[in-house]
Structure formats: C-alpha cells, structure tokens
Amino acid sequence: MKQRTPVVINILIIIGLLIVFYYLFVQSYAFLGSPYFWGTVVIAAILAYIHSAIGDLIENNKFKKLSAEEKAAYLAEKKIPFLKRMYDAAFKKQSAAEEKDILIDHGFDGIMELDNQLPKWWVGLFYFGTAFCIVYISAYSFTNFAHPISEYEQEYKEQLASIAEYEASQPPITIESAKYSADNIAAGQEIFKTNCVTCHSEGGKGGIGPNLTDNFWHNQPEKTLFKNVFHVVENGVTGTAMQAWGKNGVLTGADIQNVAAYVYHINQEQPPITPAQGGAKPYGDEAHWEKE
C-alpha cells in the first residue's frame, strides 16, 4: 500500500497553482488582496481536506486487510518524513534482485536495459508543464496576457501619467526660471508647426510675421535671445497679429520654453534663410544679444 501525500503539501501546491493561474489572467499581483482569490483558496483547502478524509477512510479499510508483516512495513515507512521519502524515491538505486524484475529482454554489446520508473518529481514537472502550457495558451488567446503591443500601450500610458504627475507637482515655468536646452528643440518645433507657421512660415523664414532666422528684431525687451523670445511669445506684441500666447492661456510656460528653444536653435545654430532663399526681408534693428 502506497503512502499518501500529506494534505498540507497538497494545499501548498494548490495555492501555488492558483497564484500562477490568477497571474496569467490578471497580469499583476493585485489579486493577492482580493477576497475572491482568498475565497478560492479557502474553498480549495476545504476540498483538499475532504479529499484527504475520504482517503483516510479508504486507507484504513485497506490497512485492515494487510497481513501482520505488511502492516509493520507500512507503519515503518510511514514514520519516514515525507520529503525524505520523496528524495529516496527520486534517487533510489535498485538492488540486484529488483533489477531482475525490471530487466528488459534485449540488449546490445553486453549492455542490458532496465525498465525503470520515471522519478515522481520528473513526472510531476511534466504534468505541471503540460497544464501550464494549456493555461498559458488560453490566457494568450483570450486575454491581453503576454501581448507585446498591449504591454507597450499599458507602459506608455503609465509613463504619460507619471510625467503628468511630475509636471503637476513642479512650479510653473516663468521667464525667470526658463532655461535653454537642446532637449526641448523637437517639442518646440511641433508647437511651432501647430501655432506659428501661419505667420512665420515653415522653418521660421517669415511671411506675415518677421523672419526669425536672421539677426534683425523689431522687439528686443530682453538682453538675451532666448529670454527675448520667451517674453514676446508670452506677452505678445501690441498692435500686431502676435497675440499673447502665454497670457491668453493658449500655451503653458513649458510650451513657451520649448518654442523659445526652437527659435533660438534656428536663429543661432543654423544659417539664416535669406530673401534669396525665400526668407522674408530683415525687419527691425540688428540685435546684439548677450550670451546665455
């Protein structure tokens, strides 16, 4: 009569499997705080105890039918701790007498083959792998689990949320705190395309508005170019089509900082677009900016 697995071990295995299966479908460990998960654990534990109790009744009936020697051998084996018994079963070496019973009637070059049973831990891993494969394929087919596009979109949303949270916690950018950074040029270019090309044309070459790539400026309220652009975009120019983008609430301080970085870039870090190249004629006085 074979020894049975203790009910505690069965419950631990069931909990481990439930954690794996829940994670495959929920895709996070948030379920560990869910009453539904722990309710499933309690129900599974109760069923395991009921199964163990039924097994005890069957085992007792079988035990009564054993001979005295078989009863003694069974009780002696039962005293061996479960983990040690599993270890011995996994790495058991057959005696010569046992090998005769499992010897297969064929061989080659004097080498005989034994019909050994596979270790229980190996068989258990095989069954677990098979069950895991079925659940994994089901989760992949009918949920968003392990889909790279879904994972990317989720991480992208989380990243945008963290950026928004960070920006909300930061003080608003003003002309005093604004600083030029090459990292802001690309974002400033997108804002420029959306709001500024109508008057200043693509690349800032000028049209209705003045050419932003040359060194002639009609408005020079600040001593540095970057601060000057920030001031003009924020406050606008009275009597012209240049509205106060910042004061009107259309652009935030961060937006104006980005636009100022882009204008600074096309004015100081790129060659000017001359009238011969399609740029507007110089407008205003030649500027002598201080270094940033």
Side-chain angles (χ1 to χ4, degrees):
M1 195 166 62
K2 295 182 179 180
Q3 299 290 341
R4 294 170 44 242
T5 304
V7 64
V8 176
I9 301 297
N10 287 332
I11 291 176
L12 292 177
I13 294 174
I14 291 172
I15 293 175
L17 293 175
L18 286 175
I19 291 175
V20 172
F21 295 156
Y22 265 82
Y23 181 80
L24 286 176
F25 287 95
V26 180
Q27 303 176 40
S28 72
Y29 289 104
F31 65 85
L32 292 175
S34 170
Y36 296 104
F37 169 75
W38 291 108
T40 306
V41 171
V42 171
I43 293 174
I46 293 173
L47 293 176
Y49 272 109
I50 294 174
H51 178 268
S52 178
I54 295 173
D56 288 339
L57 293 175
I58 297 173
E59 185 179 23
N60 290 335
N61 290 330
K62 289 183 177 180
F63 183 79
K64 295 176 181 178
K65 299 177 181 179
L66 297 177
S67 64
E69 294 180 356
E70 291 174 333
K71 289 180 179 179
Y74 176 78
L75 294 175
E77 185 180 1
K78 195 170 185 178
K79 293 179 180 179
I80 302 174
F82 172 76
L83 295 179
K84 186 177 186 307
R85 192 163 64 243
M86 292 294 293
Y87 179 86
D88 293 340
F91 300 98
K92 179 182 178 181
K93 293 183 180 180
Q94 288 87 1
S95 63
E98 289 175 323
E99 287 188 354
K100 290 182 179 180
D101 295 333
I102 60 175
L103 186 64
I104 298 177
D105 189 20
H106 70 80
F108 180 77
D109 197 19
I111 301 175
M112 305 304 292
E113 184 177 350
L114 301 178
D115 187 18
N116 283 314
Q117 290 186 350
L118 292 171
K120 292 182 180 179
W121 63 268
W122 192 96
V123 176
L125 286 177
F126 174 78
Y127 287 133
F128 173 78
T130 303
F132 181 85
C133 179
I134 295 173
V135 175
Y136 185 93
I137 293 176
S138 300
Y140 185 87
S141 301
F142 302 108
T143 71
N144 290 330
F145 180 77
H147 282 273
I149 296 178
S150 299
E151 292 180 357
Y152 170 80
E153 291 177 349
Q154 178 64 27
E155 292 178 1
Y156 180 70
K157 291 179 181 178
E158 292 175 356
Q159 187 179 37
L160 289 180
S162 64
I163 293 174
E165 182 180 358
Y166 171 79
E167 291 179 345
S169 65
Q170 299 300 308
I173 296 176
T174 63
I175 193 169
E176 288 79 15
S177 61
K179 294 181 180 180
Y180 170 76
S181 173
D183 295 336
N184 298 331
I185 294 174
Q189 184 178 13
E190 294 302 317
I191 298 173
F192 188 91
K193 289 179 180 179
T194 303
N195 301 283
C196 309
V197 293
T198 303
C199 294
H200 295 283
S201 300
E202 185 178 357
K205 63 183 180 180
I208 300 174
N211 189 337
L212 300 178
T213 67
D214 60 24
N215 199 34
F216 290 86
W217 292 77
H218 178 66
N219 297 283
Q220 302 181 32
E222 299 293 330
K223 295 180 180 181
T224 65
L225 175 59
F226 177 77
K227 297 283 188 180
N228 192 76
V229 175
F230 193 104
H231 179 97
V232 173
V233 175
E234 181 179 33
N235 298 283
V237 179
T238 304
T240 69
M242 182 64 183
Q243 65 170 299
W245 296 92
K247 293 293 180 63
N248 293 342
V250 179
L251 299 179
T252 65
D255 294 334
I256 299 174
Q257 177 178 247
N258 293 339
V259 172
Y262 174 69
V263 174
Y264 181 91
H265 170 67
I266 63 177
N267 186 276
Q268 296 291 305
E269 300 175 349
Q270 291 186 348
I273 302 176
T274 63
Q277 297 171 322
K281 294 180 180 180
Y283 177 69
D285 302 323
E286 186 174 4
H288 301 280
W289 305 114
E290 295 180 1
K291 292 185 178 181
E292 297 292 337

